[in-house]
Amino acid sequence: MYILSTISGHRLEDVKAASSGPVWYQLYLTGGREAAEAAIERARVAGFSALVVTIDVPVAGMRERDVRNGTKELLSDNLVAKLPFLPQVLARPAWLTRFLVDGGVPEPPNIVILGAGPMPVIDVGAALAQTMVTWEDLRWIRGLWPGPIVIKGVLTGDDARRAIDEGAVAVVVSNHGGRQLDCVPASLHALPEVATAVSGRAEVLMDGGIRRGGDIIKAICLGARAVLVGRAYAYGLATAGEAGVARALEILRTDLERTLKLLGCTSVPALDRSYVDAQTN
Amino acid sequence: MYILSTISGHRLEDVKAASSGPVWYQLYLTGGREAAEAAIERARVAGFSALVVTIDVPVAGMRERDVRNGTKELLSDNLVAKLPFLPQVLARPAWLTRFLVDGGVPEPPNIVILGAGPMPVIDVGAALAQTMVTWEDLRWIRGLWPGPIVIKGVLTGDDARRAIDEGAVAVVVSNHGGRQLDCVPASLHALPEVATAVSGRAEVLMDGGIRRGGDIIKAICLGARAVLVGRAYAYGLATAGEAGVARALEILRTDLERTLKLLGCTSVPALDRSYVDAQTN
Amino acid sequence: MYILSTISGHRLEDVKAASSGPVWYQLYLTGGREAAEAAIERARVAGFSALVVTIDVPVAGMRERDVRNGTKELLSDNLVAKLPFLPQVLARPAWLTRFLVDGGVPEPPNIVILGAGPMPVIDVGAALAQTMVTWEDLRWIRGLWPGPIVIKGVLTGDDARRAIDEGAVAVVVSNHGGRQLDCVPASLHALPEVATAVSGRAEVLMDGGIRRGGDIIKAICLGARAVLVGRAYAYGLATAGEAGVARALEILRTDLERTLKLLGCTSVPALDRSYVDAQTN
Amino acid sequence: MYILSTISGHRLEDVKAASSGPVWYQLYLTGGREAAEAAIERARVAGFSALVVTIDVPVAGMRERDVRNGTKELLSDNLVAKLPFLPQVLARPAWLTRFLVDGGVPEPPNIVILGAGPMPVIDVGAALAQTMVTWEDLRWIRGLWPGPIVIKGVLTGDDARRAIDEGAVAVVVSNHGGRQLDCVPASLHALPEVATAVSGRAEVLMDGGIRRGGDIIKAICLGARAVLVGRAYAYGLATAGEAGVARALEILRTDLERTLKLLGCTSVPALDRSYVDAQTN
């Protein structure tokens, strides 16, 4: 199952067409309601099976690593601003060549401003700063999207209950990779409270920190139905393209099965809290 | 809002005149009661809006970094004593030039010994060693100062209650930057107990460890009405003068607003303990 | 007392004949039931006094150090695969010479596949992957082995009770040196729960982390009757052969006696939980 | 107040004669009962005011640093054994010269074996290994020593109660600098339990870890009447002889007074548990 982000380098229709399994569409309100409306409609027509609404990015977080690496400057058109950050790029000529051959920085083709075309990547951060998602927005989205809605970025039992009351069929316990709010709890630590609050009324998914098969097992023991992975497959993709992604998933699957056997547990559904020794409040 | 320390390089009247916002005067009993009496009267005439009485410096703390850096020797007139510590100063010629051009070590013009003029900085430490503030002193100060009195350096609920009983309209939870008493608790850890003890009868402020907007949020969630910052603005000041101070405050304000949004909280007054996961006794 | 593993470099009959004390036989189901049946019969005839059934190796764990060191490649016949890992071996010519003189990689003479002879070491890992021990297997083993059976690899009170119900006269609290299941609890931490569950109905042994005499004392205080050591004697063996093993055991014994005296405890049986300050749930 | 150890480089009579304050005699049963009997009588005649019986050295601990440094070899007469450890000594020629001028390794003149004279230092360790102090020994000592007896090396409430029942007027909470029993609790952590058990029936002293004035304060807050220092004065002694010892004590005293003032506490007897935030069971 794949979740395509609004902020993606490929047209959502192309991704759907190339997928054999179900694909969900992850919506950001970047670009405003009109851009979102168009994207939702495109996703519906293309056949995406669920809409994932991300609620933990009302503004871009303060990512100090991005500041040190000059992410903003490198994406800009200002050559003088880029200069101090070029050495780290030039020091990797093979990577740079492949990057340029591949077309350089892609424009996100799923954020189309009416009458202006795709939004440049450099503007996405600024646009994010004005796109807080409210429960009000969610009701408006429900009017546009007839299929199931998943709320991503839930970290408390209260928010999970509210999300379900507002019509979500699933919540994703997530802290956005820890890159949004400094000092935010690990999603694994927030998971038990959410699972207890949801109490079977909706599906509970989780992302964040899934590096091995044992991490998936822990999340399931603590109440997740499944997990989302981001870096694991991206590392595989960067290293070896499609084969790399397949290998990354295979590593996780093999490790998951090995860990199950070592636990003496016969199947994933048979996992429960007795298999972990987590300190929960 | 600015709090001017007794131990300052500028005349209190000048600071007040140059400020557009409210200014409080932070009183140390250095120099004895007569010097304090004169300073309180000067602060009253100049229009300071509150008097901050610091109670956590009955003696100078054992600051081992000062010993290693030769702070005492460098401030003295003894050239032989200075010698071992000069290399660290001479190694920074640009700083040294600016320091000398700026007038070198300033005399604290707000501690005036009758018939002797301003007290040399080198004597301030020794003078501090004889200036414990007692509740008795506080009553004497109340007789001299008709305006609001703030007690700075409170770390327990008992001391906070006593301060209010003695007439304080606000307390500052502070451990003096951790530079006074070794092994003292962090002011953030002491804050909940103080806030509970005060229970709305006075304002609770806090200083210590405010480096980011999120630190301000945490303090407010745990019971502070506002926070004081020292190093943050001083670093800005040392780096770029007035512009640096403005930038330091802007960094804190921007980060405060970003953190509020990421928390999904609409305003500072809406913050409460549910937003933090602090272990309190 | 010595426990001989199925995966050993010496014939079980030779080991028994060379031992003056009791010897137990540690059974792995590697090679399938027929190979196991033959080995059990050989152990019975040779006079082994107990059978140790290891239940924590249903599959080989993911030992990343083995991957980095190229254990699989070095054991294989594929010279090209071996190449990248040879430098670490060639850098130790003295060790390499002794290793080759000693006969190189031994074949495990106690896993005899009918009609095929001893199984090559390289295949043992793969074979392990298909040899989960179930309670069903245990009943079948009990039919073959008339003597006492010890279950090794117990980490919970439930498993310990089940093992005793299935006929075990002793359990070994063990996590297989922490090399099987990532994030498994230390056996010392699992020991109190097991000891409480067993409650005198069987013997409780423990292995894992025994490096000093004090470690033995801690295990006994927390409920073990005795401990098993692996690395300690193997280090002695690698360093100085038989004399090294004797010295390793002497170090442990001396340290055990010294620690007893320093505790003011007169004998090993007099040890109990009051001598340790362990946090148990 | 000074406590002279049995294992000292100076005659106990000389130490007493050179002291203006009270001196206690710390008894080890090294050398057997006859040697101890003679030493106790000498201490009584010389006017020592109390006898300190050390109970935490039934055998010498396993001090691995001594093994690495070759303490035993360097003290022996075996030149070949000494050889590997000489470089560390020869690398400090100034120290070595002073050491030899000072007379080299002193013989402990307070352990006199009848008919054999002082025991060589090299034999003290071996002798210690046979000198466990039992409650039986304590009764025998009480018959020889009419004055107050202090039991040093108590770490539990039970041992403290027993020591008082056997006639001790004071106990010293001590783990012998952590050099005897590996994994022993810090004496500061054992102190509250002992203080509660003693409950005023005897004096409670403590040693171990006293490096600053604040450490003394913590011990007193947690129930000690006073503390013993070893390394602090020894460092001063090694650095600058008598002046160094005086300076070490002055540093501790000054820091004690400063800390008292910073705590806002008027005197040492006014200290209690409310001044510390120790987690006790």
Side-chain angles (χ1 to χ4, degrees):
Chain A
M1 209 277 301
Y2 185 72
I3 302 179
L4 177 72
S5 169
T6 297
I7 306 163
S8 151
H10 291 277
R11 290 184 62 246
L12 59 89
E13 289 82 2
D14 299 346
V15 173
K16 174 61 193 159
S19 303
S20 53
V23 190
W24 294 359
Y25 186 69
Q26 183 185 7
L27 182 74
Y28 287 94
L29 291 191
T30 320
R33 285 199 169 194
E34 283 181 18
E37 212 160 314
I40 291 172
E41 179 60 15
R42 283 171 60 189
R44 193 189 61 74
V45 170
F48 281 75
S49 45
L51 190 69
V52 180
V53 182
T54 310
I55 62 170
D56 58 7
V57 191
V59 292
M62 177 61 195
R63 304 181 182 181
E64 295 176 348
R65 207 178 287 186
D66 283 4
V67 174
R68 276 199 298 278
N69 289 341
T71 305
K72 196 174 104 187
E73 286 77 5
L74 287 170
L75 287 177
S76 80
D77 289 330
N78 185 336
L79 197 67
V80 174
K82 272 185 211 213
L83 264 182
F85 302 104
L86 282 181
Q88 58 182 327
V89 175
L90 298 174
R92 290 165 184 81
W95 176 88
L96 185 59
T97 308
R98 273 184 287 132
F99 175 72
L100 293 175
V101 165
D102 197 39
V105 177
E107 296 201 327
N110 301 321
I111 312 177
V112 179
I113 308 296
L114 285 186
M119 175 181 280
V121 163
I122 181 73
D123 293 346
V124 169
L128 277 176
Q130 300 148 21
T131 53
M132 188 175 308
V133 178
T134 63
W135 297 116
E136 189 70 27
D137 291 318
L138 194 58
R139 270 166 241 144
W140 164 77
I141 292 169
R142 281 180 63 198
L144 297 173
W145 177 263
I149 290 180
V150 178
I151 304 290
K152 177 165 176 284
V154 168
L155 286 171
T156 67
D158 281 349
D159 280 355
R161 270 187 292 263
R162 180 76 188 263
I164 297 168
D165 292 345
E166 298 282 349
V169 301
V171 293
V172 182
V173 180
S174 169
N175 62 17
H176 218 96
R179 292 163 300 152
Q180 281 292 101
L181 176 57
D182 196 28
C183 298
V184 77
S187 43
L188 193 74
H189 290 169
L191 178 56
E193 180 188 316
V194 172
T196 301
V198 169
S199 183
R201 293 169 55 214
E203 298 291 1
V204 177
L205 310 176
M206 193 204 85
D207 76 5
I210 303 297
R211 302 287 181 271
R212 296 167 182 245
D215 298 328
I216 302 175
I217 301 254
K218 287 172 197 164
I220 290 169
C221 289
L222 290 172
R225 178 71 188 278
V227 300
L228 280 54
V229 292
R231 294 185 203 203
Y233 95 84
Y235 289 157
L237 180 66
T239 306
E242 184 175 343
V245 174
R247 177 78 181 116
L249 294 178
E250 183 201 328
I251 289 175
L252 286 173
R253 184 193 313 270
T254 308
D255 201 27
L256 175 68
E257 288 166 2
R258 182 192 299 115
T259 304
L260 261 187
K261 283 186 191 161
L262 290 172
L263 279 171
C265 183
T266 50
S267 70
V268 167
L271 290 168
D272 60 36
R273 284 204 194 185
S274 73
Y275 287 94
V276 290
D277 185 24
Q279 288 171 327
T280 53
N281 304 11
Chain B
M1 211 276 301
Y2 185 72
I3 302 180
L4 177 73
S5 168
T6 296
I7 306 163
S8 151
H10 290 276
R11 288 185 64 244
L12 61 89
E13 290 82 3
D14 298 347
V15 173
K16 174 61 192 158
S19 304
S20 52
V23 192
W24 294 0
Y25 185 69
Q26 183 185 7
L27 182 74
Y28 287 93
L29 291 190
T30 322
R33 284 198 169 195
E34 282 180 20
E37 210 160 315
I40 292 173
E41 179 60 15
R42 284 170 60 191
R44 193 188 61 74
V45 170
F48 281 75
S49 46
L51 190 70
V52 180
V53 181
T54 310
I55 63 169
D56 58 8
V57 191
V59 294
M62 178 60 194
R63 303 181 182 182
E64 295 176 348
R65 206 177 289 186
D66 283 4
V67 174
R68 277 199 297 278
N69 289 341
T71 305
K72 196 174 104 187
E73 286 77 5
L74 287 170
L75 286 176
S76 79
D77 288 330
N78 185 337
L79 197 65
V80 175
K82 274 185 208 209
L83 264 180
F85 303 104
L86 282 181
Q88 60 182 325
V89 175
L90 298 174
R92 290 164 183 80
W95 176 87
L96 184 59
T97 308
R98 271 184 289 132
F99 175 72
L100 294 175
V101 165
D102 198 41
V105 178
E107 297 200 327
N110 301 321
I111 312 176
V112 179
I113 308 296
L114 285 186
M119 175 182 280
V121 164
I122 181 72
D123 293 347
V124 169
L128 278 175
Q130 300 147 19
T131 54
M132 187 174 310
V133 177
T134 62
W135 297 115
E136 189 70 29
D137 290 319
L138 194 58
R139 271 167 241 143
W140 164 76
I141 291 168
R142 281 180 64 197
L144 298 173
W145 177 264
I149 290 180
V150 178
I151 303 290
K152 178 166 177 284
V154 168
L155 285 170
T156 67
D158 282 349
D159 279 355
R161 271 188 290 265
R162 180 75 189 264
I164 296 169
D165 292 345
E166 298 280 351
V169 300
V171 294
V172 182
V173 180
S174 169
N175 63 16
H176 218 95
R179 292 164 300 154
Q180 282 291 104
L181 176 58
D182 196 27
C183 297
V184 77
S187 42
L188 194 73
H189 290 168
L191 179 57
E193 179 188 317
V194 172
T196 302
V198 168
S199 182
R201 293 168 56 213
E203 297 291 0
V204 176
L205 309 177
M206 194 204 84
D207 76 6
I210 304 298
R211 302 288 181 270
R212 296 168 182 243
D215 299 327
I216 303 174
I217 301 254
K218 287 173 197 163
I220 291 168
C221 288
L222 290 172
R225 178 71 187 278
V227 301
L228 280 53
V229 293
R231 293 183 205 204
Y233 94 83
Y235 289 157
L237 180 66
T239 306
E242 185 174 343
V245 174
R247 176 79 180 116
L249 294 178
E250 184 200 328
I251 289 174
L252 286 173
R253 184 192 315 267
T254 307
D255 200 28
L256 175 68
E257 288 167 3
R258 181 193 298 116
T259 304
L260 260 188
K261 283 185 190 162
L262 289 171
L263 280 170
C265 183
T266 48
S267 70
V268 167
L271 290 168
D272 59 37
R273 284 204 194 185
S274 74
Y275 287 94
V276 289
D277 185 24
Q279 288 172 326
T280 54
N281 304 12
Chain C
M1 210 275 300
Y2 185 72
I3 302 179
L4 177 73
S5 169
T6 297
I7 306 161
S8 152
H10 291 276
R11 292 184 61 248
L12 61 88
E13 290 83 1
D14 298 347
V15 173
K16 173 62 191 158
S19 303
S20 52
V23 190
W24 295 358
Y25 186 68
Q26 182 184 8
L27 182 75
Y28 286 93
L29 290 190
T30 320
R33 283 199 171 197
E34 282 180 20
E37 210 161 316
I40 292 173
E41 179 60 16
R42 282 171 62 190
R44 193 191 60 74
V45 171
F48 280 75
S49 44
L51 191 70
V52 180
V53 181
T54 310
I55 62 170
D56 57 7
V57 191
V59 293
M62 178 60 195
R63 303 181 183 181
E64 295 176 347
R65 205 177 289 186
D66 282 4
V67 175
R68 275 198 300 278
N69 289 341
T71 305
K72 196 174 104 186
E73 287 77 4
L74 286 171
L75 287 177
S76 80
D77 288 331
N78 185 337
L79 197 64
V80 174
K82 271 185 213 215
L83 264 182
F85 302 103
L86 282 181
Q88 59 183 328
V89 175
L90 298 174
R92 291 165 184 80
W95 176 87
L96 184 59
T97 309
R98 272 184 289 132
F99 175 72
L100 293 175
V101 166
D102 198 39
V105 177
E107 297 199 325
N110 302 321
I111 313 177
V112 179
I113 309 296
L114 285 185
M119 174 181 281
V121 164
I122 182 71
D123 293 346
V124 169
L128 278 176
Q130 301 147 20
T131 53
M132 187 175 311
V133 179
T134 63
W135 297 115
E136 190 70 28
D137 290 319
L138 194 58
R139 271 166 241 143
W140 164 76
I141 292 168
R142 280 179 64 198
L144 298 172
W145 176 264
I149 290 180
V150 178
I151 303 291
K152 177 165 176 286
V154 168
L155 285 171
T156 68
D158 282 349
D159 279 356
R161 271 187 291 264
R162 179 76 188 264
I164 296 170
D165 292 345
E166 298 281 349
V169 301
V171 293
V172 181
V173 180
S174 171
N175 62 15
H176 218 95
R179 292 164 299 154
Q180 281 292 102
L181 176 58
D182 197 26
C183 298
V184 77
S187 43
L188 194 73
H189 290 168
L191 177 56
E193 180 187 316
V194 172
T196 301
V198 169
S199 183
R201 293 168 55 213
E203 297 291 0
V204 176
L205 309 177
M206 194 204 85
D207 76 5
I210 303 296
R211 302 288 180 271
R212 295 167 183 245
D215 298 328
I216 303 174
I217 301 253
K218 287 173 196 163
I220 291 169
C221 289
L222 290 172
R225 178 71 186 277
V227 300
L228 280 53
V229 294
R231 294 184 204 204
Y233 95 84
Y235 289 158
L237 181 65
T239 306
E242 184 173 345
V245 174
R247 177 77 181 117
L249 295 177
E250 183 200 329
I251 289 174
L252 286 174
R253 184 192 312 272
T254 307
D255 200 28
L256 175 68
E257 288 168 1
R258 182 193 299 115
T259 304
L260 262 188
K261 282 186 189 161
L262 289 171
L263 280 170
C265 183
T266 49
S267 70
V268 167
L271 290 168
D272 61 36
R273 283 203 196 186
S274 73
Y275 287 94
V276 289
D277 185 24
Q279 287 171 326
T280 53
N281 305 8
Chain D
M1 211 275 300
Y2 185 73
I3 302 180
L4 177 73
S5 168
T6 296
I7 306 161
S8 151
H10 290 278
R11 290 184 63 245
L12 61 90
E13 290 83 0
D14 299 346
V15 173
K16 173 60 191 159
S19 304
S20 52
V23 191
W24 295 0
Y25 186 68
Q26 183 185 6
L27 182 74
Y28 286 93
L29 290 191
T30 321
R33 284 199 170 195
E34 281 180 20
E37 209 159 316
I40 292 173
E41 179 60 15
R42 281 171 62 190
R44 193 188 62 73
V45 170
F48 281 74
S49 44
L51 191 70
V52 180
V53 181
T54 310
I55 62 170
D56 58 8
V57 191
V59 293
M62 179 59 195
R63 303 180 183 182
E64 294 176 348
R65 203 177 291 184
D66 283 4
V67 174
R68 275 199 299 278
N69 289 340
T71 306
K72 195 174 105 186
E73 286 78 5
L74 287 170
L75 287 176
S76 80
D77 287 331
N78 185 336
L79 197 64
V80 174
K82 273 185 210 213
L83 264 182
F85 302 104
L86 282 181
Q88 60 182 325
V89 175
L90 299 173
R92 290 165 184 80
W95 177 88
L96 185 59
T97 308
R98 272 184 289 133
F99 175 72
L100 293 175
V101 165
D102 197 39
V105 178
E107 299 200 324
N110 301 320
I111 312 177
V112 179
I113 309 297
L114 285 186
M119 174 181 280
V121 164
I122 182 71
D123 293 347
V124 169
L128 277 176
Q130 301 147 19
T131 54
M132 189 175 308
V133 177
T134 63
W135 297 115
E136 190 70 28
D137 290 320
L138 195 58
R139 272 167 241 142
W140 164 76
I141 291 168
R142 280 179 65 198
L144 297 171
W145 176 264
I149 290 179
V150 178
I151 303 291
K152 178 166 176 285
V154 168
L155 285 171
T156 67
D158 282 349
D159 279 355
R161 271 187 291 264
R162 179 76 188 264
I164 297 169
D165 292 345
E166 298 281 350
V169 300
V171 293
V172 181
V173 180
S174 170
N175 63 16
H176 218 94
R179 291 164 299 155
Q180 282 291 103
L181 177 58
D182 197 26
C183 297
V184 77
S187 42
L188 194 73
H189 290 168
L191 179 56
E193 179 187 317
V194 171
T196 302
V198 168
S199 183
R201 292 168 56 213
E203 298 290 0
V204 176
L205 309 177
M206 194 204 84
D207 76 6
I210 303 297
R211 302 289 180 270
R212 295 168 183 244
D215 299 327
I216 303 174
I217 301 252
K218 288 173 196 164
I220 290 169
C221 288
L222 290 172
R225 178 70 186 278
V227 300
L228 280 53
V229 293
R231 293 183 205 204
Y233 95 83
Y235 289 157
L237 181 65
T239 307
E242 184 174 345
V245 174
R247 178 78 180 117
L249 295 178
E250 184 200 327
I251 288 174
L252 287 173
R253 185 193 312 270
T254 307
D255 200 28
L256 175 69
E257 287 167 3
R258 182 193 300 115
T259 304
L260 261 188
K261 282 185 190 162
L262 289 171
L263 281 170
C265 183
T266 49
S267 70
V268 167
L271 290 167
D272 59 37
R273 284 203 195 186
S274 73
Y275 287 94
V276 290
D277 186 23
Q279 287 172 325
T280 54
N281 306 9

